[in-house]
Each structure stands twice: as structure tokens, then as C-alpha cells.
Amino acid sequence: MSTADSMSSIPAHRSTIALLQRLKPKSKNWDDFLLSAFEDFLPPETVEELERREKNEKSSAFAEVEKRHSRWGRRH
């Protein structure tokens, strides 16, 4: 993610955080882990765009990409 993309704090139960900490590989940072954990729920176009941007451009937050490409919509 870009340096202009500030960190956030997400309220969650301690048990949820403990579970996520056990699941997260030490080799991944939290951003990569969380994005990969939900990759199956992202529209294929979103995944393709994120991969393209990662290769060719400075990183963008997912929210920024989604905002610029709102026509992709969300899967429910």
C-alpha cells in the first residue's frame, strides 16, 4: 500500500484477533493476508486489477480501486 494510505484500527473481539493471528503466516503482512483471505469473494475483475496495479503501478488501497471502478459491483 502507498505511504499516503494510513493504517486503521478495526474493532474486533479478542478471540477473533487471536484466531487471525494463528492463521496468518509469518511470511505475510496483514494487508496481504487479509486480501488473500477474501480473494474468493472479490469479483475476478477486481483481483485482475489489483494484480495489474501491483506489477505496474504504486500500490493503491482496495477502497481506492473499488471507488474508481464502481461498475464492478459486489458479489453477495
PDB file of all heavy atoms in Angstrom, residues 13-52:
ATOM      1  N   HIS A  13     -13.429  -8.726  18.453  1.00  0.00           N
ATOM      2  CA  HIS A  13     -13.285  -9.474  19.693  1.00  0.00           C
ATOM      3  C   HIS A  13     -11.873 -10.038  19.798  1.00  0.00           C
ATOM      4  O   HIS A  13     -11.261 -10.403  18.790  1.00  0.00           O
ATOM      5  CB  HIS A  13     -14.299 -10.626  19.741  1.00  0.00           C
ATOM      6  CG  HIS A  13     -15.699 -10.165  19.892  1.00  0.00           C
ATOM      7  ND1 HIS A  13     -16.579 -10.107  18.832  1.00  0.00           N
ATOM      8  CD2 HIS A  13     -16.374  -9.719  20.976  1.00  0.00           C
ATOM      9  CE1 HIS A  13     -17.742  -9.651  19.259  1.00  0.00           C
ATOM     10  NE2 HIS A  13     -17.652  -9.403  20.552  1.00  0.00           N
ATOM     11  N   ARG A  14     -11.357 -10.114  21.014  1.00  0.00           N
ATOM     12  CA  ARG A  14     -10.009 -10.653  21.231  1.00  0.00           C
ATOM     13  C   ARG A  14      -9.882 -12.068  20.685  1.00  0.00           C
ATOM     14  O   ARG A  14      -8.843 -12.438  20.144  1.00  0.00           O
ATOM     15  CB  ARG A  14      -9.648 -10.617  22.709  1.00  0.00           C
ATOM     16  CG  ARG A  14      -9.456  -9.219  23.229  1.00  0.00           C
ATOM     17  CD  ARG A  14      -9.007  -9.243  24.697  1.00  0.00           C
ATOM     18  NE  ARG A  14      -9.056  -7.926  25.276  1.00  0.00           N
ATOM     19  CZ  ARG A  14      -8.088  -7.022  25.176  1.00  0.00           C
ATOM     20  NH1 ARG A  14      -6.999  -7.312  24.511  1.00  0.00           N
ATOM     21  NH2 ARG A  14      -8.211  -5.844  25.743  1.00  0.00           N
ATOM     22  N   SER A  15     -10.947 -12.861  20.790  1.00  0.00           N
ATOM     23  CA  SER A  15     -10.899 -14.232  20.271  1.00  0.00           C
ATOM     24  C   SER A  15     -10.749 -14.246  18.747  1.00  0.00           C
ATOM     25  O   SER A  15     -10.063 -15.111  18.199  1.00  0.00           O
ATOM     26  CB  SER A  15     -12.152 -15.003  20.690  1.00  0.00           C
ATOM     27  OG  SER A  15     -13.318 -14.366  20.202  1.00  0.00           O
ATOM     28  N   THR A  16     -11.373 -13.288  18.069  1.00  0.00           N
ATOM     29  CA  THR A  16     -11.248 -13.186  16.614  1.00  0.00           C
ATOM     30  C   THR A  16      -9.821 -12.819  16.242  1.00  0.00           C
ATOM     31  O   THR A  16      -9.232 -13.404  15.329  1.00  0.00           O
ATOM     32  CB  THR A  16     -12.236 -12.138  16.055  1.00  0.00           C
ATOM     33  OG1 THR A  16     -13.556 -12.524  16.418  1.00  0.00           O
ATOM     34  CG2 THR A  16     -12.119 -12.011  14.548  1.00  0.00           C
ATOM     35  N   ILE A  17      -9.254 -11.851  16.950  1.00  0.00           N
ATOM     36  CA  ILE A  17      -7.874 -11.439  16.683  1.00  0.00           C
ATOM     37  C   ILE A  17      -6.915 -12.598  16.944  1.00  0.00           C
ATOM     38  O   ILE A  17      -6.003 -12.854  16.150  1.00  0.00           O
ATOM     39  CB  ILE A  17      -7.517 -10.196  17.518  1.00  0.00           C
ATOM     40  CG1 ILE A  17      -8.342  -9.001  17.027  1.00  0.00           C
ATOM     41  CG2 ILE A  17      -6.023  -9.894  17.439  1.00  0.00           C
ATOM     42  CD1 ILE A  17      -8.292  -7.789  17.912  1.00  0.00           C
ATOM     43  N   ALA A  18      -7.135 -13.327  18.017  1.00  0.00           N
ATOM     44  CA  ALA A  18      -6.272 -14.472  18.335  1.00  0.00           C
ATOM     45  C   ALA A  18      -6.341 -15.518  17.220  1.00  0.00           C
ATOM     46  O   ALA A  18      -5.309 -16.080  16.816  1.00  0.00           O
ATOM     47  CB  ALA A  18      -6.671 -15.076  19.672  1.00  0.00           C
ATOM     48  N   LEU A  19      -7.539 -15.789  16.717  1.00  0.00           N
ATOM     49  CA  LEU A  19      -7.689 -16.750  15.630  1.00  0.00           C
ATOM     50  C   LEU A  19      -6.957 -16.269  14.379  1.00  0.00           C
ATOM     51  O   LEU A  19      -6.222 -17.028  13.744  1.00  0.00           O
ATOM     52  CB  LEU A  19      -9.172 -16.970  15.323  1.00  0.00           C
ATOM     53  CG  LEU A  19      -9.478 -17.831  14.100  1.00  0.00           C
ATOM     54  CD1 LEU A  19      -8.930 -19.244  14.270  1.00  0.00           C
ATOM     55  CD2 LEU A  19     -10.969 -17.860  13.832  1.00  0.00           C
ATOM     56  N   LEU A  20      -7.150 -15.009  14.023  1.00  0.00           N
ATOM     57  CA  LEU A  20      -6.468 -14.459  12.847  1.00  0.00           C
ATOM     58  C   LEU A  20      -4.954 -14.517  13.006  1.00  0.00           C
ATOM     59  O   LEU A  20      -4.231 -14.820  12.048  1.00  0.00           O
ATOM     60  CB  LEU A  20      -6.934 -13.031  12.581  1.00  0.00           C
ATOM     61  CG  LEU A  20      -8.366 -12.886  12.076  1.00  0.00           C
ATOM     62  CD1 LEU A  20      -8.777 -11.421  12.051  1.00  0.00           C
ATOM     63  CD2 LEU A  20      -8.523 -13.516  10.704  1.00  0.00           C
ATOM     64  N   GLN A  21      -4.454 -14.246  14.195  1.00  0.00           N
ATOM     65  CA  GLN A  21      -3.005 -14.303  14.430  1.00  0.00           C
ATOM     66  C   GLN A  21      -2.479 -15.723  14.251  1.00  0.00           C
ATOM     67  O   GLN A  21      -1.369 -15.911  13.763  1.00  0.00           O
ATOM     68  CB  GLN A  21      -2.669 -13.766  15.822  1.00  0.00           C
ATOM     69  CG  GLN A  21      -2.823 -12.265  15.899  1.00  0.00           C
ATOM     70  CD  GLN A  21      -2.672 -11.714  17.311  1.00  0.00           C
ATOM     71  OE1 GLN A  21      -3.045 -12.357  18.290  1.00  0.00           O
ATOM     72  NE2 GLN A  21      -2.133 -10.507  17.404  1.00  0.00           N
ATOM     73  N   ARG A  22      -3.270 -16.721  14.635  1.00  0.00           N
ATOM     74  CA  ARG A  22      -2.843 -18.113  14.441  1.00  0.00           C
ATOM     75  C   ARG A  22      -2.882 -18.503  12.963  1.00  0.00           C
ATOM     76  O   ARG A  22      -2.078 -19.314  12.511  1.00  0.00           O
ATOM     77  CB  ARG A  22      -3.728 -19.061  15.247  1.00  0.00           C
ATOM     78  CG  ARG A  22      -3.460 -19.011  16.733  1.00  0.00           C
ATOM     79  CD  ARG A  22      -4.106 -20.170  17.478  1.00  0.00           C
ATOM     80  NE  ARG A  22      -5.529 -20.327  17.274  1.00  0.00           N
ATOM     81  CZ  ARG A  22      -6.488 -19.726  17.991  1.00  0.00           C
ATOM     82  NH1 ARG A  22      -6.150 -18.904  18.969  1.00  0.00           N
ATOM     83  NH2 ARG A  22      -7.748 -19.944  17.736  1.00  0.00           N
ATOM     84  N   LEU A  23      -3.823 -17.948  12.214  1.00  0.00           N
ATOM     85  CA  LEU A  23      -3.968 -18.295  10.799  1.00  0.00           C
ATOM     86  C   LEU A  23      -2.967 -17.581   9.892  1.00  0.00           C
ATOM     87  O   LEU A  23      -2.589 -18.117   8.853  1.00  0.00           O
ATOM     88  CB  LEU A  23      -5.385 -17.967  10.326  1.00  0.00           C
ATOM     89  CG  LEU A  23      -6.519 -18.790  10.942  1.00  0.00           C
ATOM     90  CD1 LEU A  23      -7.863 -18.221  10.512  1.00  0.00           C
ATOM     91  CD2 LEU A  23      -6.396 -20.249  10.558  1.00  0.00           C
ATOM     92  N   LYS A  24      -2.557 -16.375  10.264  1.00  0.00           N
ATOM     93  CA  LYS A  24      -1.684 -15.561   9.401  1.00  0.00           C
ATOM     94  C   LYS A  24      -0.274 -16.146   9.358  1.00  0.00           C
ATOM     95  O   LYS A  24       0.378 -16.293  10.378  1.00  0.00           O
ATOM     96  CB  LYS A  24      -1.623 -14.123   9.902  1.00  0.00           C
ATOM     97  CG  LYS A  24      -0.820 -13.196   8.986  1.00  0.00           C
ATOM     98  CD  LYS A  24      -0.740 -11.803   9.538  1.00  0.00           C
ATOM     99  CE  LYS A  24       0.411 -11.551  10.438  1.00  0.00           C
ATOM    100  NZ  LYS A  24       1.735 -11.866   9.970  1.00  0.00           N
ATOM    101  N   PRO A  25       0.209 -16.476   8.164  1.00  0.00           N
ATOM    102  CA  PRO A  25       1.602 -16.930   8.054  1.00  0.00           C
ATOM    103  C   PRO A  25       2.563 -15.793   8.425  1.00  0.00           C
ATOM    104  O   PRO A  25       2.297 -14.629   8.124  1.00  0.00           O
ATOM    105  CB  PRO A  25       1.755 -17.285   6.578  1.00  0.00           C
ATOM    106  CG  PRO A  25       0.367 -17.375   6.033  1.00  0.00           C
ATOM    107  CD  PRO A  25      -0.482 -16.500   6.891  1.00  0.00           C
ATOM    108  N   LYS A  26       3.662 -16.137   9.055  1.00  0.00           N
ATOM    109  CA  LYS A  26       4.651 -15.120   9.450  1.00  0.00           C
ATOM    110  C   LYS A  26       5.242 -14.424   8.230  1.00  0.00           C
ATOM    111  O   LYS A  26       5.689 -13.292   8.321  1.00  0.00           O
ATOM    112  CB  LYS A  26       5.753 -15.744  10.288  1.00  0.00           C
ATOM    113  CG  LYS A  26       5.252 -16.201  11.639  1.00  0.00           C
ATOM    114  CD  LYS A  26       6.350 -16.797  12.473  1.00  0.00           C
ATOM    115  CE  LYS A  26       5.723 -17.463  13.666  1.00  0.00           C
ATOM    116  NZ  LYS A  26       6.177 -17.024  14.918  1.00  0.00           N
ATOM    117  N   SER A  27       5.218 -15.084   7.091  1.00  0.00           N
ATOM    118  CA  SER A  27       5.810 -14.518   5.874  1.00  0.00           C
ATOM    119  C   SER A  27       4.933 -13.457   5.212  1.00  0.00           C
ATOM    120  O   SER A  27       5.381 -12.769   4.304  1.00  0.00           O
ATOM    121  CB  SER A  27       6.092 -15.630   4.872  1.00  0.00           C
ATOM    122  OG  SER A  27       4.886 -16.275   4.497  1.00  0.00           O
ATOM    123  N   LYS A  28       3.670 -13.312   5.662  1.00  0.00           N
ATOM    124  CA  LYS A  28       2.763 -12.318   5.072  1.00  0.00           C
ATOM    125  C   LYS A  28       2.513 -11.183   6.041  1.00  0.00           C
ATOM    126  O   LYS A  28       2.434 -11.386   7.243  1.00  0.00           O
ATOM    127  CB  LYS A  28       1.408 -12.954   4.735  1.00  0.00           C
ATOM    128  CG  LYS A  28       1.424 -13.839   3.522  1.00  0.00           C
ATOM    129  CD  LYS A  28       0.014 -14.172   3.105  1.00  0.00           C
ATOM    130  CE  LYS A  28       0.023 -14.906   1.788  1.00  0.00           C
ATOM    131  NZ  LYS A  28      -1.319 -15.102   1.277  1.00  0.00           N
ATOM    132  N   ASN A  29       2.359  -9.967   5.480  1.00  0.00           N
ATOM    133  CA  ASN A  29       1.924  -8.850   6.322  1.00  0.00           C
ATOM    134  C   ASN A  29       0.397  -8.904   6.401  1.00  0.00           C
ATOM    135  O   ASN A  29      -0.256  -9.674   5.698  1.00  0.00           O
ATOM    136  CB  ASN A  29       2.446  -7.508   5.789  1.00  0.00           C
ATOM    137  CG  ASN A  29       1.903  -7.172   4.417  1.00  0.00           C
ATOM    138  OD1 ASN A  29       0.724  -7.350   4.130  1.00  0.00           O
ATOM    139  ND2 ASN A  29       2.764  -6.681   3.556  1.00  0.00           N
ATOM    140  N   TRP A  30      -0.169  -8.093   7.287  1.00  0.00           N
ATOM    141  CA  TRP A  30      -1.620  -8.140   7.497  1.00  0.00           C
ATOM    142  C   TRP A  30      -2.401  -7.771   6.243  1.00  0.00           C
ATOM    143  O   TRP A  30      -3.424  -8.376   5.947  1.00  0.00           O
ATOM    144  CB  TRP A  30      -2.026  -7.250   8.679  1.00  0.00           C
ATOM    145  CG  TRP A  30      -1.763  -7.947   9.964  1.00  0.00           C
ATOM    146  CD1 TRP A  30      -0.731  -7.717  10.826  1.00  0.00           C
ATOM    147  CD2 TRP A  30      -2.514  -9.023  10.528  1.00  0.00           C
ATOM    148  NE1 TRP A  30      -0.800  -8.588  11.895  1.00  0.00           N
ATOM    149  CE2 TRP A  30      -1.890  -9.400  11.736  1.00  0.00           C
ATOM    150  CE3 TRP A  30      -3.652  -9.712  10.142  1.00  0.00           C
ATOM    151  CZ2 TRP A  30      -2.362 -10.424  12.547  1.00  0.00           C
ATOM    152  CZ3 TRP A  30      -4.127 -10.725  10.949  1.00  0.00           C
ATOM    153  CH2 TRP A  30      -3.491 -11.074  12.137  1.00  0.00           C
ATOM    154  N   ASP A  31      -1.931  -6.767   5.484  1.00  0.00           N
ATOM    155  CA  ASP A  31      -2.642  -6.376   4.264  1.00  0.00           C
ATOM    156  C   ASP A  31      -2.731  -7.542   3.289  1.00  0.00           C
ATOM    157  O   ASP A  31      -3.798  -7.863   2.778  1.00  0.00           O
ATOM    158  CB  ASP A  31      -1.954  -5.192   3.583  1.00  0.00           C
ATOM    159  CG  ASP A  31      -2.170  -3.883   4.296  1.00  0.00           C
ATOM    160  OD1 ASP A  31      -3.214  -3.719   4.954  1.00  0.00           O
ATOM    161  OD2 ASP A  31      -1.292  -3.019   4.206  1.00  0.00           O
ATOM    162  N   ASP A  32      -1.582  -8.179   3.020  1.00  0.00           N
ATOM    163  CA  ASP A  32      -1.568  -9.296   2.080  1.00  0.00           C
ATOM    164  C   ASP A  32      -2.412 -10.464   2.583  1.00  0.00           C
ATOM    165  O   ASP A  32      -3.144 -11.093   1.827  1.00  0.00           O
ATOM    166  CB  ASP A  32      -0.141  -9.767   1.816  1.00  0.00           C
ATOM    167  CG  ASP A  32       0.675  -8.742   1.050  1.00  0.00           C
ATOM    168  OD1 ASP A  32       0.075  -7.849   0.414  1.00  0.00           O
ATOM    169  OD2 ASP A  32       1.915  -8.837   1.095  1.00  0.00           O
ATOM    170  N   PHE A  33      -2.298 -10.763   3.881  1.00  0.00           N
ATOM    171  CA  PHE A  33      -3.063 -11.866   4.459  1.00  0.00           C
ATOM    172  C   PHE A  33      -4.564 -11.630   4.340  1.00  0.00           C
ATOM    173  O   PHE A  33      -5.313 -12.501   3.880  1.00  0.00           O
ATOM    174  CB  PHE A  33      -2.680 -12.063   5.927  1.00  0.00           C
ATOM    175  CG  PHE A  33      -3.579 -13.011   6.662  1.00  0.00           C
ATOM    176  CD1 PHE A  33      -3.605 -14.358   6.349  1.00  0.00           C
ATOM    177  CD2 PHE A  33      -4.421 -12.550   7.663  1.00  0.00           C
ATOM    178  CE1 PHE A  33      -4.447 -15.237   7.029  1.00  0.00           C
ATOM    179  CE2 PHE A  33      -5.259 -13.415   8.349  1.00  0.00           C
ATOM    180  CZ  PHE A  33      -5.273 -14.758   8.031  1.00  0.00           C
ATOM    181  N   LEU A  34      -5.037 -10.453   4.723  1.00  0.00           N
ATOM    182  CA  LEU A  34      -6.471 -10.173   4.688  1.00  0.00           C
ATOM    183  C   LEU A  34      -7.007 -10.129   3.261  1.00  0.00           C
ATOM    184  O   LEU A  34      -8.089 -10.662   2.981  1.00  0.00           O
ATOM    185  CB  LEU A  34      -6.791  -8.884   5.440  1.00  0.00           C
ATOM    186  CG  LEU A  34      -6.576  -8.965   6.955  1.00  0.00           C
ATOM    187  CD1 LEU A  34      -6.714  -7.597   7.588  1.00  0.00           C
ATOM    188  CD2 LEU A  34      -7.523  -9.968   7.593  1.00  0.00           C
ATOM    189  N   LEU A  35      -6.251  -9.518   2.349  1.00  0.00           N
ATOM    190  CA  LEU A  35      -6.707  -9.503   0.954  1.00  0.00           C
ATOM    191  C   LEU A  35      -6.776 -10.917   0.393  1.00  0.00           C
ATOM    192  O   LEU A  35      -7.743 -11.273  -0.281  1.00  0.00           O
ATOM    193  CB  LEU A  35      -5.792  -8.628   0.096  1.00  0.00           C
ATOM    194  CG  LEU A  35      -6.000  -7.129   0.224  1.00  0.00           C
ATOM    195  CD1 LEU A  35      -4.908  -6.372  -0.527  1.00  0.00           C
ATOM    196  CD2 LEU A  35      -7.362  -6.724  -0.287  1.00  0.00           C
ATOM    197  N   SER A  36      -5.763 -11.735   0.671  1.00  0.00           N
ATOM    198  CA  SER A  36      -5.777 -13.096   0.138  1.00  0.00           C
ATOM    199  C   SER A  36      -6.882 -13.935   0.785  1.00  0.00           C
ATOM    200  O   SER A  36      -7.457 -14.816   0.142  1.00  0.00           O
ATOM    201  CB  SER A  36      -4.417 -13.771   0.306  1.00  0.00           C
ATOM    202  OG  SER A  36      -4.120 -13.995   1.663  1.00  0.00           O
ATOM    203  N   ALA A  37      -7.187 -13.667   2.050  1.00  0.00           N
ATOM    204  CA  ALA A  37      -8.228 -14.428   2.740  1.00  0.00           C
ATOM    205  C   ALA A  37      -9.602 -14.208   2.105  1.00  0.00           C
ATOM    206  O   ALA A  37     -10.446 -15.104   2.129  1.00  0.00           O
ATOM    207  CB  ALA A  37      -8.267 -14.035   4.219  1.00  0.00           C
ATOM    208  N   PHE A  38      -9.812 -13.039   1.529  1.00  0.00           N
ATOM    209  CA  PHE A  38     -11.115 -12.715   0.950  1.00  0.00           C
ATOM    210  C   PHE A  38     -11.099 -12.711  -0.573  1.00  0.00           C
ATOM    211  O   PHE A  38     -12.068 -12.325  -1.206  1.00  0.00           O
ATOM    212  CB  PHE A  38     -11.610 -11.360   1.481  1.00  0.00           C
ATOM    213  CG  PHE A  38     -11.887 -11.419   2.950  1.00  0.00           C
ATOM    214  CD1 PHE A  38     -10.971 -10.924   3.858  1.00  0.00           C
ATOM    215  CD2 PHE A  38     -13.038 -12.016   3.423  1.00  0.00           C
ATOM    216  CE1 PHE A  38     -11.212 -11.009   5.221  1.00  0.00           C
ATOM    217  CE2 PHE A  38     -13.290 -12.112   4.779  1.00  0.00           C
ATOM    218  CZ  PHE A  38     -12.375 -11.604   5.683  1.00  0.00           C
ATOM    219  N   GLU A  39     -10.013 -13.184  -1.157  1.00  0.00           N
ATOM    220  CA  GLU A  39      -9.877 -13.164  -2.607  1.00  0.00           C
ATOM    221  C   GLU A  39     -11.023 -13.900  -3.301  1.00  0.00           C
ATOM    222  O   GLU A  39     -11.479 -13.493  -4.360  1.00  0.00           O
ATOM    223  CB  GLU A  39      -8.536 -13.772  -3.010  1.00  0.00           C
ATOM    224  CG  GLU A  39      -7.948 -13.151  -4.227  1.00  0.00           C
ATOM    225  CD  GLU A  39      -6.490 -13.526  -4.392  1.00  0.00           C
ATOM    226  OE1 GLU A  39      -6.171 -14.726  -4.363  1.00  0.00           O
ATOM    227  OE2 GLU A  39      -5.681 -12.598  -4.543  1.00  0.00           O
ATOM    228  N   ASP A  40     -11.513 -14.986  -2.705  1.00  0.00           N
ATOM    229  CA  ASP A  40     -12.605 -15.747  -3.321  1.00  0.00           C
ATOM    230  C   ASP A  40     -13.900 -14.947  -3.398  1.00  0.00           C
ATOM    231  O   ASP A  40     -14.786 -15.286  -4.182  1.00  0.00           O
ATOM    232  CB  ASP A  40     -12.874 -17.036  -2.545  1.00  0.00           C
ATOM    233  CG  ASP A  40     -11.755 -18.046  -2.711  1.00  0.00           C
ATOM    234  OD1 ASP A  40     -10.951 -17.903  -3.659  1.00  0.00           O
ATOM    235  OD2 ASP A  40     -11.670 -18.968  -1.887  1.00  0.00           O
ATOM    236  N   PHE A  41     -14.032 -13.908  -2.586  1.00  0.00           N
ATOM    237  CA  PHE A  41     -15.243 -13.105  -2.568  1.00  0.00           C
ATOM    238  C   PHE A  41     -15.150 -11.873  -3.466  1.00  0.00           C
ATOM    239  O   PHE A  41     -16.140 -11.193  -3.672  1.00  0.00           O
ATOM    240  CB  PHE A  41     -15.579 -12.655  -1.141  1.00  0.00           C
ATOM    241  CG  PHE A  41     -15.871 -13.811  -0.229  1.00  0.00           C
ATOM    242  CD1 PHE A  41     -14.926 -14.222   0.697  1.00  0.00           C
ATOM    243  CD2 PHE A  41     -17.069 -14.494  -0.310  1.00  0.00           C
ATOM    244  CE1 PHE A  41     -15.178 -15.292   1.532  1.00  0.00           C
ATOM    245  CE2 PHE A  41     -17.334 -15.570   0.525  1.00  0.00           C
ATOM    246  CZ  PHE A  41     -16.384 -15.981   1.448  1.00  0.00           C
ATOM    247  N   LEU A  42     -13.945 -11.585  -3.974  1.00  0.00           N
ATOM    248  CA  LEU A  42     -13.757 -10.415  -4.826  1.00  0.00           C
ATOM    249  C   LEU A  42     -14.128 -10.765  -6.258  1.00  0.00           C
ATOM    250  O   LEU A  42     -13.834 -11.866  -6.722  1.00  0.00           O
ATOM    251  CB  LEU A  42     -12.299  -9.951  -4.784  1.00  0.00           C
ATOM    252  CG  LEU A  42     -11.764  -9.506  -3.435  1.00  0.00           C
ATOM    253  CD1 LEU A  42     -10.273  -9.195  -3.543  1.00  0.00           C
ATOM    254  CD2 LEU A  42     -12.516  -8.304  -2.918  1.00  0.00           C
ATOM    255  N   PRO A  43     -14.756  -9.843  -6.971  1.00  0.00           N
ATOM    256  CA  PRO A  43     -15.028 -10.087  -8.390  1.00  0.00           C
ATOM    257  C   PRO A  43     -13.708 -10.328  -9.123  1.00  0.00           C
ATOM    258  O   PRO A  43     -12.692  -9.692  -8.808  1.00  0.00           O
ATOM    259  CB  PRO A  43     -15.682  -8.785  -8.865  1.00  0.00           C
ATOM    260  CG  PRO A  43     -16.174  -8.115  -7.633  1.00  0.00           C
ATOM    261  CD  PRO A  43     -15.240  -8.531  -6.533  1.00  0.00           C
ATOM    262  N   PRO A  44     -13.685 -11.241 -10.094  1.00  0.00           N
ATOM    263  CA  PRO A  44     -12.438 -11.537 -10.824  1.00  0.00           C
ATOM    264  C   PRO A  44     -11.784 -10.291 -11.412  1.00  0.00           C
ATOM    265  O   PRO A  44     -10.559 -10.173 -11.428  1.00  0.00           O
ATOM    266  CB  PRO A  44     -12.881 -12.498 -11.932  1.00  0.00           C
ATOM    267  CG  PRO A  44     -14.164 -13.070 -11.463  1.00  0.00           C
ATOM    268  CD  PRO A  44     -14.798 -12.046 -10.562  1.00  0.00           C
ATOM    269  N   GLU A  45     -12.599  -9.346 -11.859  1.00  0.00           N
ATOM    270  CA  GLU A  45     -12.047  -8.116 -12.434  1.00  0.00           C
ATOM    271  C   GLU A  45     -11.272  -7.316 -11.390  1.00  0.00           C
ATOM    272  O   GLU A  45     -10.277  -6.678 -11.691  1.00  0.00           O
ATOM    273  CB  GLU A  45     -13.163  -7.241 -13.023  1.00  0.00           C
ATOM    274  CG  GLU A  45     -13.929  -7.886 -14.159  1.00  0.00           C
ATOM    275  CD  GLU A  45     -15.074  -8.784 -13.683  1.00  0.00           C
ATOM    276  OE1 GLU A  45     -15.337  -8.855 -12.462  1.00  0.00           O
ATOM    277  OE2 GLU A  45     -15.707  -9.417 -14.537  1.00  0.00           O
ATOM    278  N   THR A  46     -11.739  -7.349 -10.159  1.00  0.00           N
ATOM    279  CA  THR A  46     -11.065  -6.640  -9.085  1.00  0.00           C
ATOM    280  C   THR A  46      -9.717  -7.284  -8.801  1.00  0.00           C
ATOM    281  O   THR A  46      -8.707  -6.592  -8.650  1.00  0.00           O
ATOM    282  CB  THR A  46     -11.930  -6.623  -7.806  1.00  0.00           C
ATOM    283  OG1 THR A  46     -13.180  -6.011  -8.110  1.00  0.00           O
ATOM    284  CG2 THR A  46     -11.246  -5.870  -6.677  1.00  0.00           C
ATOM    285  N   VAL A  47      -9.695  -8.603  -8.733  1.00  0.00           N
ATOM    286  CA  VAL A  47      -8.441  -9.325  -8.495  1.00  0.00           C
ATOM    287  C   VAL A  47      -7.447  -9.030  -9.618  1.00  0.00           C
ATOM    288  O   VAL A  47      -6.276  -8.732  -9.371  1.00  0.00           O
ATOM    289  CB  VAL A  47      -8.684 -10.839  -8.360  1.00  0.00           C
ATOM    290  CG1 VAL A  47      -7.370 -11.601  -8.258  1.00  0.00           C
ATOM    291  CG2 VAL A  47      -9.574 -11.133  -7.166  1.00  0.00           C
ATOM    292  N   GLU A  48      -7.918  -9.094 -10.866  1.00  0.00           N
ATOM    293  CA  GLU A  48      -7.052  -8.799 -12.011  1.00  0.00           C
ATOM    294  C   GLU A  48      -6.492  -7.380 -11.927  1.00  0.00           C
ATOM    295  O   GLU A  48      -5.313  -7.153 -12.193  1.00  0.00           O
ATOM    296  CB  GLU A  48      -7.815  -8.987 -13.318  1.00  0.00           C
ATOM    297  CG  GLU A  48      -8.137 -10.429 -13.629  1.00  0.00           C
ATOM    298  CD  GLU A  48      -9.086 -10.576 -14.803  1.00  0.00           C
ATOM    299  OE1 GLU A  48      -9.306  -9.593 -15.549  1.00  0.00           O
ATOM    300  OE2 GLU A  48      -9.629 -11.686 -14.971  1.00  0.00           O
ATOM    301  N   GLU A  49      -7.346  -6.431 -11.584  1.00  0.00           N
ATOM    302  CA  GLU A  49      -6.906  -5.040 -11.481  1.00  0.00           C
ATOM    303  C   GLU A  49      -5.893  -4.873 -10.359  1.00  0.00           C
ATOM    304  O   GLU A  49      -4.886  -4.177 -10.517  1.00  0.00           O
ATOM    305  CB  GLU A  49      -8.099  -4.117 -11.274  1.00  0.00           C
ATOM    306  CG  GLU A  49      -7.751  -2.653 -11.116  1.00  0.00           C
ATOM    307  CD  GLU A  49      -7.143  -2.006 -12.356  1.00  0.00           C
ATOM    308  OE1 GLU A  49      -7.102  -2.636 -13.433  1.00  0.00           O
ATOM    309  OE2 GLU A  49      -6.683  -0.856 -12.243  1.00  0.00           O
ATOM    310  N   LEU A  50      -6.122  -5.494  -9.217  1.00  0.00           N
ATOM    311  CA  LEU A  50      -5.166  -5.407  -8.111  1.00  0.00           C
ATOM    312  C   LEU A  50      -3.824  -5.999  -8.511  1.00  0.00           C
ATOM    313  O   LEU A  50      -2.764  -5.423  -8.220  1.00  0.00           O
ATOM    314  CB  LEU A  50      -5.718  -6.120  -6.874  1.00  0.00           C
ATOM    315  CG  LEU A  50      -6.883  -5.439  -6.171  1.00  0.00           C
ATOM    316  CD1 LEU A  50      -7.483  -6.372  -5.120  1.00  0.00           C
ATOM    317  CD2 LEU A  50      -6.454  -4.130  -5.545  1.00  0.00           C
ATOM    318  N   GLU A  51      -3.832  -7.141  -9.192  1.00  0.00           N
ATOM    319  CA  GLU A  51      -2.591  -7.765  -9.635  1.00  0.00           C
ATOM    320  C   GLU A  51      -1.875  -6.897 -10.664  1.00  0.00           C
ATOM    321  O   GLU A  51      -0.657  -6.744 -10.624  1.00  0.00           O
ATOM    322  CB  GLU A  51      -2.877  -9.154 -10.197  1.00  0.00           C
ATOM    323  CG  GLU A  51      -3.265 -10.143  -9.120  1.00  0.00           C
ATOM    324  CD  GLU A  51      -3.759 -11.473  -9.664  1.00  0.00           C
ATOM    325  OE1 GLU A  51      -3.961 -11.605 -10.895  1.00  0.00           O
ATOM    326  OE2 GLU A  51      -3.956 -12.380  -8.828  1.00  0.00           O
ATOM    327  N   ARG A  52      -2.639  -6.320 -11.592  1.00  0.00           N
ATOM    328  CA  ARG A  52      -2.033  -5.448 -12.612  1.00  0.00           C
ATOM    329  C   ARG A  52      -1.376  -4.238 -11.954  1.00  0.00           C
ATOM    330  O   ARG A  52      -0.247  -3.883 -12.260  1.00  0.00           O
ATOM    331  CB  ARG A  52      -3.100  -4.971 -13.612  1.00  0.00           C
ATOM    332  CG  ARG A  52      -2.512  -4.112 -14.748  1.00  0.00           C
ATOM    333  CD  ARG A  52      -3.610  -3.409 -15.539  1.00  0.00           C
ATOM    334  NE  ARG A  52      -4.259  -2.359 -14.792  1.00  0.00           N
ATOM    335  CZ  ARG A  52      -3.736  -1.135 -14.563  1.00  0.00           C
ATOM    336  NH1 ARG A  52      -2.538  -0.824 -15.003  1.00  0.00           N
ATOM    337  NH2 ARG A  52      -4.414  -0.230 -13.886  1.00  0.00           N
TER     338      ARG A  52
END
